[in-house]
Amino acid sequence: MINLWNRQLNATGIGVLIIAAVISCGMGGRPSPKNTPLSLKSLYSTYRIPSICGVAPDWDGQTVTIKGYLDLNNIFDKQRYPRLVYEKFKVLDRQGRSIEVWVDVADSRAVFSALSQKRNSQVVIRGRLAAVEMPIAGQCLLGAKVWINDSSQIQ
């Protein structure tokens, strides 16, 4: 009788462990993108960027916080380039990864003023991820860009 009870307990315990393991697989896989600034390496590996086109990524539209350095050769605002139909800048890491940050605000002067204060230091950007199709050598890869709409999203 005790031997039968031990078998049932062991089978139940193993079942509980398997269920707990399966449930926990979905938890904690991604770092908290809203609170912790991600390096570009972490951003790309966490969200598996780039990926193959054709499948809408689950991260499209999510708020994320990233950190990096301004690419001073890739800052495009309407104050300096009045004919542009867009405004954007590029954030880099020390290993050559980059991501474009697009600005969507009627008057972007405060955004680019905040950037000018970060010219030689690390910048932290909080914005919304957007999927971008990148046709490369006959294949389509899905990359990402970040949208911001206020200077407070730059630290």
Side-chain angles (χ1 to χ4, degrees):
M1 177 78 142
I2 292 175
N3 200 12
L4 178 62
W5 185 76
N6 280 340
R7 283 188 206 158
Q8 287 177 339
L9 183 61
N10 285 341
T12 304
I14 291 171
V16 169
L17 285 174
I18 291 171
I19 291 171
V22 169
I23 290 172
S24 68
C25 284
M27 299 176 154
R30 290 187 177 176
S32 175
K34 293 183 182 178
N35 301 324
T36 305
L38 296 171
S39 66
L40 295 183
K41 179 180 181 179
S42 294
L43 175 75
Y44 286 165
S45 66
T46 299
Y47 294 103
R48 293 183 292 278
I49 301 169
S51 61
I52 297 173
C53 294
V55 178
D58 61 349
W59 49 260
D60 194 24
Q62 286 186 10
T63 299
V64 68
T65 304
I66 60 170
K67 63 183 177 180
Y69 300 89
L70 289 177
D71 179 352
L72 299 178
N73 294 319
N74 284 292
I75 299 174
F76 300 98
D77 65 296
K78 291 183 181 179
Q79 296 298 312
R80 290 189 302 169
Y81 305 99
R83 293 185 176 190
L84 287 178
V85 295
Y86 58 83
E87 293 180 291
K88 66 180 181 175
F89 57 94
K90 192 178 278 188
V91 175
L92 308 166
D93 68 9
R94 300 288 192 219
Q95 290 75 40
R97 290 176 204 87
S98 66
I99 192 164
E100 287 186 345
V101 179
W102 287 59
V103 180
D104 183 23
V105 62
D107 184 359
S108 64
R109 287 180 286 190
V111 169
F112 288 96
S113 175
L115 285 179
S116 70
Q117 297 172 12
K118 298 288 187 179
R119 293 180 76 80
N120 297 314
S121 61
Q122 192 172 57
V123 63
V124 175
I125 307 290
R126 183 170 184 208
R128 182 177 45 86
L129 277 175
V132 178
E133 288 189 0
M134 305 179 306
I136 300 173
Q139 182 182 16
C140 182
L141 294 178
L142 202 57
K145 65 181 174 183
V146 176
W147 283 97
I148 65 170
N149 57 9
D150 191 81
S151 63
S152 67
Q153 294 174 276
I154 300 169
Q155 299 171 353

